[in-house]
Every structure is written in structure tokens, then in C-alpha cells.
């Protein structure tokens, strides 16, 4: 029988009204798309999607999932597109294929458990439909089954990923047989020597074990029946990986692992569970310390069962679990006790609940006659409140939905956040307001000059980022207040014949009088405008009362303009000072900054903030304590005066050419100085009004093109 027919009859078996024709078409499509491609084994490529579809059918999934299994590699490996698949097989199949393709592109590198956990959540969040994960698991299972055809490095990478990501996912979803097979296959490639040895040891004793299981099963059944306990008994050998784990945990060789066989007794009531326990303990000697009553004291995930270990026939230790059918259902399909207890690390209680819900959905699916009905509605939004993104190193960060690159930067390190000046997402520059999406790789661009600003608070979603930004803004404001306060008090002091540094003692007294903890506090209060400098001078130097009133008041009004947010915009300077755009601003004559120039501001008493170009020499001479961050806000259309020096041949008519260039660029000349030099050249300095740097560059370019012009330079306006 062709494998396709096997799949079809399997699907028809659990889903009588299934659209088998669609599955056939999907097979034909995949066979044609992959035509000519072969697997590493040499088989035609289509044998892989067929095998995947086979596993999907074994999981009794719906027709769309089976089709998606057949088509899952078409988009990635052939010329077929998602749209094409959508046109032929419908949106749902296209969505699943697209989902599986996307998951396949997520880069995974070996990480510690927390990272693996985040990666698993990322897969679930990105899948958005549980079927995407299930198809992906089936894909992985077939890949693992045929891993022997790949080179060793690939084997190791894929096996590691399987062990860390896919086996735990299968476990979480309650698909025990897939989990077990994935683990044993990964084990085989990751610890080949140990695996081969253990497999040989187990095989050697296999017949013996089966017989042993059979004997114990029969004995339990008989004893229970004799005592009137109705039950089902199941014995099974543990899978290799779990035996190996046990050998490692207990530091014992295989021969000493006696409870490699476990027995499960399923009965009808809680009372019969305890009854059955009594029977077991009566039949065989219990091992002290191994009895656990999870019926009276259920595990946090609601798992209930009685566990015991006894010395069974031939002196072998055997594990016995006793529970009711209902308890068994929870244990098998409920939130995985395995996840929590066998894999060591506990997961958040919250996550457990989410998986419990998912498990219930999976469970209820089994009771439906038509699986389509149910699966159509299973869109997973398990982690819809989080978004998972990669660092450039491949770590996964979980952030609240709606987070921006700044949140990510602070999640990496607070200094990265503090100096975050931009971000690249999947290699592309994005604005800081960009909302992170699942699977994005984020690279933060930092700059030593960058500092958090108030606008960031509107963008960030994480408390961490918010707290750090607020802290820095406060510190910065405090520093500014200290600088301003000191300046203001000093000026007022000078009017009274002293200075801040000379009047240290008096200032301490003034601080006490004005109810400030210390001098710093006093200066800050002045900086914030809560206390006036005059009040300080009056308190510090009672004898000099009244001195210097006028200038200090003038300074106070400047302070108010600077530090308080004015609700009505008075003028538009086109400049934001420390994020505020309503501060009194003037442009330094020495360098005449233009919108577009990198700029820096200096607080100047009586004149608000003076804006210099960052590369202005004079700016460097100014007191760094008065330096303040300024930037263009892009709102102003104001004209700015600039000076341009043109060195040219001293030829008649050239000046007319030059002035025509200004006119061509719609720039007015406000002043012109022209002089001839002894070597037959002319130096011309023009003062012109321009809107911004781009316009100036246009003028300079146009002037440079004139024949006879040697050089064109922007110069200081005052020069
Ligand atoms: Mn595949």
C-alpha cells in the first residue's frame, strides 16, 4: 500500500467525513513541487512530507493539518508561495504552512534552561495556532528518525535542539509517545557511546523483562481480584533516556537500576486505591520511605496518585502507582507532572494554568466526532501578553507586548538603555517607538552622548525602563538645579560684595534659617525657583539686605522661563531645551547654528539658553556645568543668518554670477564684504538668511560650481 493510501485510510478511520480529495491534491502538489529533489538518504524528497503527514494522522489531527504536513516544506524549499497554497488549499492550510515555515527560520543556539524556556514560549507565541506546533513536532520527529544521513555537526545541533526544545514541548502538550521517541533519538546522537551500551543492555534482557512484566501483572491482578478490588494493571519499561537519567542521578550502573519497570494500577474509586495499596504491601515488602500519598496531598498541578515501591518477585524493586481512571486522565493528559518534577526546574504557576487549559482543549478534542469542529477554534494566545525577541547573540528576551527598543535595551543592561540612540531590527534601522514583534532580532545602537529624555517615558512598557529613565531624569534635573542655583546665588552674593565660596559659613546659616537640610538642598531649592537667591542673600548676609535686588529678580524670571513648563507657547525658536520647547533661546553669533547642525546649549543668565554648534570652539571654552542638551524640534521656519566666505579670481562679472547663485537658491544676502588681495584674487564674505543646513549646502554647492571660484566656506558670522 502506498503511504498516501495508508494516511487516507487512517484519516478516514477517525474522521469519516474528511475531505480526502484535498489530501490527495496536497500530496500531488508537494510531489510536483519537490520533483527532482532528494533527501540525504537518496530517497525522493516527498517521502519526508509524506512521513510527516503520517505522524500527523497518527495524532488524529484534522485535514488541514494533514495537508499542511504534506506541504510544509514547499514554501521554504520550492518555488511555491503561501498565496499559491492559499488559492488552492484555502486560507487555513496556507496559514499553517506559513506558520511552520516561520518557526523553521528562528535561529536557535544552545542555551541554559531559562533561555530554552523562553524559546519554547516564543515558538508557542509565534505559532498562534496549536496545529502549527503539532505539525512542527511531527516534522521534527521525522527529521530525527532520519538524522543518520546528516553530517555529525548537524546531527549534534539538531539533536540538542530537539532535547532542549521539542521534546519538552511534546511533553507539555501531553504527547508522551512523541516526547519519548524524540528523547531517545536525541540521546542516541548526543551520547552515542552510552546510548549503544544501554540499548544493548536493555535488549539483552528484553525477553526476560517482558516475561517479568507479564508475571507481575498477573500476580497483581490476581491479588486484587482476591481482595475484591476491580482494576486494570499496566507494566512498562522506562525509555532509555529516562533509565540513563536515573543511572546518572543515582550514580549506578544499569544492573542496579531495578525499577526500570513501573506498574500502574487503575481502579474505580479513591477507597479502592487505598485498598489496592494495602494489597500490594501485603503481597510484597514495601521499601521504606518510598510511599507517597498524592491523593490526600495532591501535587500543585492537581496530580493525584499513590506511589510506592516494593521488593517484587526475584527480589527486584518495582515501582507501583495506584489511581482512579479520573486521576489517570489528569496524570496522562493534564499539566505535565513530568515537566515539573522530572525535568527539575519548576515553571511559573501561571504557565502551568495556561498549559492546563491547553491540555483540556486537547482532551476535549478526543471526544468530538469531527475534529475539525474543535481545532478550527484553537488559536493559541497562551503568551499573548508577551513578546519574544532575540539579542544579536541569540538569547531570547521576554518583554511585555507593545515594548519598544528602549525596553529591550534596558532589559539587556541599564547602561545600554541609558545610552540607547537607535536600534536595528533584523538588520534594519527602526525608530525608537517601533513595537517589537515575536522573533525579531534587536541590536541596540549606543552613543556615549545619548541620555534618556522625557519622551522615552511615553514609549516604554517595562517598569524597569521606566524606573531607570525617571531616575536619570531626576538626577539630571537635580544637577541642572545645582548649577543654576549656584550661579544665581553667586551673582546675588557678588552684588553684596562676596561669593558663594567665600560665604560658605553664612550659607550654612541661611540653609538652617530657610529650613533646608544642608547647603546643597538650599542651592537646589533656588535652582528649582522655590526659594529666591535674594532670600538666600538676605538670610546669609543680614547686613547687606537689599543689595543686588534688580539683577537677581531678572535672573529669577529667567529661571522660571527655564525650569517651568510654560503652557502658552510664546515664540518658536525651533529648539528644544532638555526636551522642553518653550525656553528662551538665542543662537550664538560665533558659529550661527542652523537647523540640521549638531548643537549644544549653555545657560546664560539673563539670556536664557545660548545655542552653539557642537564643533564651535567658543562653546568648548564655556563652563561645562552650564551645558544643557538642546536639539532642533523641526517646527520652525525661521531664517538664520550665516556667513559664507567665497575665495575667487578677481574678475569682472564674477560677483554678479555669485549673487545670482544666491537668488537661484531663494536665499537673500543681507550683507556683503568684498576685497581684492595682492595676488589677484578676491575674498568675499556674504551674510545670508537661510532656513536650514540643507539650504546652506545647496548654496555652497551652487557657488562652488561657478568658474573662477576657488573655495566656498561657512565662516563665523562675527568674523
Ligand atoms: Mn520538514
Amino acid at each position: 500500500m502506498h503511504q498516501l493510501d495508508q494516511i487516507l485510510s487512517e484519516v478516514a478511520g477517525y474522521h469519516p467525513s474528511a475531505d480526502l480529495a484535498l489530501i490527495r491534491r496536497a500530496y500531488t502538489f508537494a510531489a510536483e513541487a519537490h520533483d527532482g529533489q532528494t533527501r540525504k538518504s537518496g530517497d525522493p524528497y516527498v517521502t519526508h512530507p509524506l512521513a510527516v503527514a503520517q505522524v500527523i494522522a497518527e495524532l488524529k489531527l484534522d485535514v488541514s493539518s494533514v495537508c499542511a504536513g504534506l506541504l510544509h516544506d514547499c514554501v521554504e524549499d520550492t518555488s511555491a508561495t503561501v498565496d499559491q497554497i492559499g488559492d488552492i488549499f484555502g486560507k487555513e492550510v496556507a496559514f499553517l504552512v506559513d506558520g511552520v515555515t516561520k518557526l523553521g527560520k528562528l535561529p536557535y543556539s544552545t542555551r541554559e534552561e531559562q533561555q530554552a524556556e523562553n524559546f519554547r514560549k516564543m515558538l508557542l507565541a509565534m505559532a498562534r495556532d496549536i496545529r502549527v506546533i503539532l505539525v512542527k513536532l511531527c516534522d521534527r520527529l521525522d527529521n530525527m528518525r532520519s538524522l543518520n544521513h546528516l553530517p555529525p555537526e548537524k546531527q549534534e545541533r539538531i539533536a540538542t535542539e530537539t532535547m532542549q526544545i521539542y521534546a519538552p514541548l511534546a511533553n507539555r502538550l501531553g504527547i508522551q509517545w512523541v516526547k519519548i521517541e524524540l528523547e531517545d533519538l536525541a540521546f542516541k546522537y548526543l551520547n552515542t557511546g552510552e546510548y549503544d551500551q544501554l540499548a544493548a543492555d536493555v535488549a539483552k534482557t528484553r525477553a526476560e523483562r517482558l516475561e517479568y512484566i507479564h508475571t507481575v501483572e498477573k500476580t497483581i491482578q490476581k491479588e486484587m481480584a482476591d481482595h475484591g478490588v476491580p482494576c486494570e494493571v499496566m507494566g512498562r519499561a522506562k525509555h532509555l533516556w529516562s533509565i540513563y537519567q536515573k543511572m546518572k542521578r543515582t550514580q549506578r550502573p544499569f544492573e542496579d537500576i531495578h525499577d526500570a519497570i513501573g506498574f500502574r494500577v487503575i481502579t474505580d474509586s479513591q477507597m479502592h486505591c487505598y485498598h489496592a495499596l494495602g494489597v500490594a504491601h501485603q503481597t510484597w515488602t514495601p521499601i521504606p520511605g518510598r510511599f507517597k500519598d498524592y491523593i490526600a496531598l495532591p501535587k500543585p498541578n492537581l496530580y493525584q496518585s499513590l506511589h510506592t515501591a516494593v521488593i517484587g518477585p526475584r527480589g527486584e524493586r518495582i515501582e507501583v502507582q495506584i489511581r482512579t481512571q479520573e486521576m489517570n486522565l489528569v496524570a496522562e493528559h493534564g499539566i505535565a507532572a513530568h515537566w515539573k518534577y522530572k525535568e527539575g526546574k519548576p515553571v511559573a504557576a501561571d504557565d502551568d494554568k495556561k498549559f492546563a487549559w491547553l491540555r483540556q482543549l486537547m482532551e476535549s478534542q478526543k471526544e468530538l466526532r469531527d475534529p475539525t469542529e474543535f481545532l478550527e477554534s484553537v488559536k493559541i494566545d497562551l503568551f499573548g501578553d508577551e513578546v519574544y525577541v532575540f539579542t544579536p547573540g541569540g538569547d531570547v528576551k521576554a518583554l511585555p507586548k507593545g515594548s519598544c527598543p528602549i525596553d529591550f535595551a534596558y532589559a539587556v543592561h541599564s547602561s545600554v538603555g541609558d545610552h540607547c540612540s537607535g536600534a536595528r531590527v533584523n538588520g534594519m534601522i527602526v525608530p525608537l517607538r517601533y513595537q517589537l514583534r515575536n522573533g525579531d532580532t534587536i541590536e541596540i545602537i549606543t552613543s556615549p552622548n545619548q541620555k534618556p529624555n522625557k519622551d522615552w517615558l511615553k514609549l516604554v512598557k517595562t517598569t524597569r525602563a521606566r524606573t531607570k529613565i525617571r531616575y536619570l531624569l531626576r538626577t539630571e534635573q537635580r544637577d541642572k538645579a545645582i548649577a543654576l542655583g549656584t550661579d544665581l546665588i553667586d551673582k546675588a552674593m557678588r552684588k553684596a560684595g562676596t561669593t558663594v565660596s567665600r560665604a560658605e559659613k553664612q550659607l550654612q546659616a541661611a540653609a538652617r534659617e530657610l529650613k533646608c537640610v544642608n547647603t546643597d538642598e538650599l542651592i537646589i531649592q533656588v535652582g528649582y525657583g522655590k526659594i529666591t537667591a535674594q532670600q538666600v542673600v538676605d538670610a546669609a548676609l543680614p547686613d547687606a539686605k537689599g543689595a543686588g535686588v534688580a539683577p537677581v529678580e531678572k535672573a529669577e524670571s529667567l529661571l522660571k522661563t527655564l525650569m517651568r513648563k510654560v503652557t502658552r507657547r510664546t515664540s518658536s525658536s525651533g529648539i528644544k531645551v532638555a526636551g522642553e520647547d518653550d525656553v528662551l533661546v538665542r543662537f550664538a553669533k560665533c558659529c550661527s547654528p542652523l537647523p540640521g547642525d549638531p548643537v549644544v546649549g549653555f545657560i546664560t543668565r539673563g539670556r536664557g539658553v545660548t545655542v552653539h554648534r557642537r564643533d564651535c570652539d567658543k562653546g568648548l571654552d564655556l563652563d561645562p556645568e552650564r551645558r544643557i542638551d538642546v536639539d532642533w524640534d523641526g517646527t520652525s521656519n525661521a531664517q538664520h543668518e550665516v556667513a559664507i566666505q567665497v575665495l575667487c579670481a578677481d574678475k569682472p562679472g564674477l560677483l554678479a554670477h555669485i549673487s545670482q547663485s544666491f537668488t537661484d537658491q531663494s536665499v537673500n544676502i543681507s550683507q556683503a564684504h568684498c576685497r581684492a588681495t595682492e595676488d589677484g584674487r578676491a575674498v568675499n564674505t556674504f551674510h545670508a538668511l537661510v532656513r536650514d543646513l540643507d539650504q546652506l549646502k545647496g548654496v555652497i554647492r551652487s557657488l562652488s560650481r561657478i568658474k573662477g571660484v576657488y573655495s566656498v566656506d561657512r565662516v563665523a558670522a562675527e568674523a
Side-chain angles (χ1 to χ4, degrees), residues 313-450:
R314 291 181 234 154
E316 296 225 359
R317 291 158 174 248
I318 52 179
E319 274 184 356
V320 185
Q321 299 176 346
I322 303 165
R323 54 202 183 218
T324 66
Q325 279 110 355
E326 277 160 288
M327 292 171 194
N328 193 45
L329 216 62
V330 174
E332 285 276 282
H333 309 296
I335 22 163
H338 280 83
W339 177 260
K340 204 162 197 169
Y341 294 96
K342 289 206 174 156
E343 286 165 19
K345 301 249 164 113
V347 285
D350 221 36
D351 289 355
D352 265 357
K353 270 186 228 146
K354 287 171 175 169
F355 280 104
W357 170 80
L358 190 60
R359 276 304 315 149
Q360 276 167 15
L361 285 178
M362 299 286 289
E363 190 49 48
S364 60
Q365 182 210 352
K366 289 188 183 153
E367 288 150 22
L368 288 170
R369 236 192 42 250
D370 180 0
T372 340
E373 197 184 311
F374 159 76
L375 275 168
E376 259 173 16
S377 61
V378 187
K379 301 282 178 263
I380 30 175
D381 197 18
L382 287 182
F383 305 105
D385 46 351
E386 284 189 322
V387 59
Y388 301 89
V389 294
F390 289 104
T391 66
D395 275 358
V396 182
K397 297 273 175 208
L399 294 164
K401 202 168 197 158
S403 289
C404 69
I406 303 169
D407 290 299
F408 175 84
Y410 277 106
V412 171
H413 196 277
S414 57
S415 74
V416 175
D418 288 346
H419 299 292
C420 164
S421 64
R424 242 179 241 121
V425 170
N426 308 323
M428 307 264 284
I429 297 273
V430 297
L432 289 177
R433 62 169 188 281
Y434 174 87
Q435 293 206 350
L436 304 183
R437 293 191 308 201
N438 276 316
D440 279 347
T441 297
I442 322 284
E443 188 190 334
I444 295 296
I445 304 160
T446 57
S447 145
N449 297 326
Q450 183 66 46

Side-chain angles (χ1 to χ4, degrees), residues 45 48 72-73 139 143:
Y45 193 85
H48 166 61
H72 81 274
D73 276 334
D139 177 34
N143 288 336

Side-chain angles (χ1 to χ4, degrees), residues 145-254:
R145 284 172 176 173
S146 43
L147 202 60
N148 56 327
H149 299 292
L150 295 187
E153 325 76 76
K154 274 200 170 174
Q155 287 178 345
E156 193 186 331
R157 187 179 58 73
I158 295 172
T160 305
E161 191 183 68
T162 299
M163 196 62 108
Q164 295 189 339
I165 303 298
Y166 291 100
L169 267 181
N171 184 40
R172 269 198 168 176
L173 296 175
I175 314 165
Q176 287 301 304
W177 70 269
V178 172
K179 174 219 169 200
I180 284 170
E181 193 175 339
L182 286 177
E183 279 179 350
D184 274 359
L185 284 165
F187 175 31
K188 180 172 158 187
Y189 291 97
L190 292 175
N191 309 69
T192 310
E194 285 96 332
Y195 175 90
D196 287 346
Q197 182 60 50
L198 187 57
D201 289 344
V202 171
K204 232 188 303 174
T205 54
R206 188 168 175 272
E208 199 183 314
R209 266 162 203 274
L210 284 178
E211 196 225 83
Y212 185 78
I213 288 174
H214 192 64
T215 311
V216 175
E217 274 177 2
K218 270 174 67 185
T219 312
I220 296 176
Q221 217 121 38
K222 185 181 173 299
E223 290 298 325
M224 296 296 170
D226 287 353
H227 290 83
V229 180
C231 73
E232 236 184 292
V233 183
M234 286 163 294
R236 62 175 169 197
K238 288 181 174 164
H239 68 300
L240 297 180
W241 176 244
S242 94
I243 296 173
Y244 178 68
Q245 292 289 91
K246 176 130 197 178
M247 286 162 60
K248 273 209 329 206
R249 208 170 43 239
T250 58
Q251 305 264 342
R252 288 170 158 202
F254 173 70

Side-chain angles (χ1 to χ4, degrees), residues 467-524:
T467 317
K468 299 268 178 196
I469 295 167
R470 285 224 173 98
Y471 173 76
L472 243 100
L473 289 177
R474 261 203 312 275
T475 317
E476 208 175 59
Q477 240 178 357
R478 196 185 132 95
D479 290 350
K480 277 186 218 155
I482 289 179
L484 254 167
T486 310
D487 186 36
L488 291 170
I489 297 170
D490 199 58
K491 292 285 151 63
M493 287 266 181
R494 282 174 198 275
K495 293 285 171 192
T498 182
T499 65
V500 165
S501 46
R502 271 189 278 150
E504 210 177 301
K505 281 245 163 62
Q506 288 92 325
L507 274 177
Q508 281 168 12
R512 277 193 298 276
E513 190 178 324
L514 294 166
K515 303 197 165 47
C516 293
V517 200
N518 52 32
T519 320
D520 274 358
E521 169 77 11
L522 178 72
I523 293 169
I524 289 166

Side-chain angles (χ1 to χ4, degrees), residues 588-607:
K589 273 276 188 310
C590 52
C591 54
S592 315
L594 285 179
D597 280 325
V599 284
V600 63
F602 289 89
I603 296 170
T604 327
R605 196 167 67 90
R607 288 188 291 186

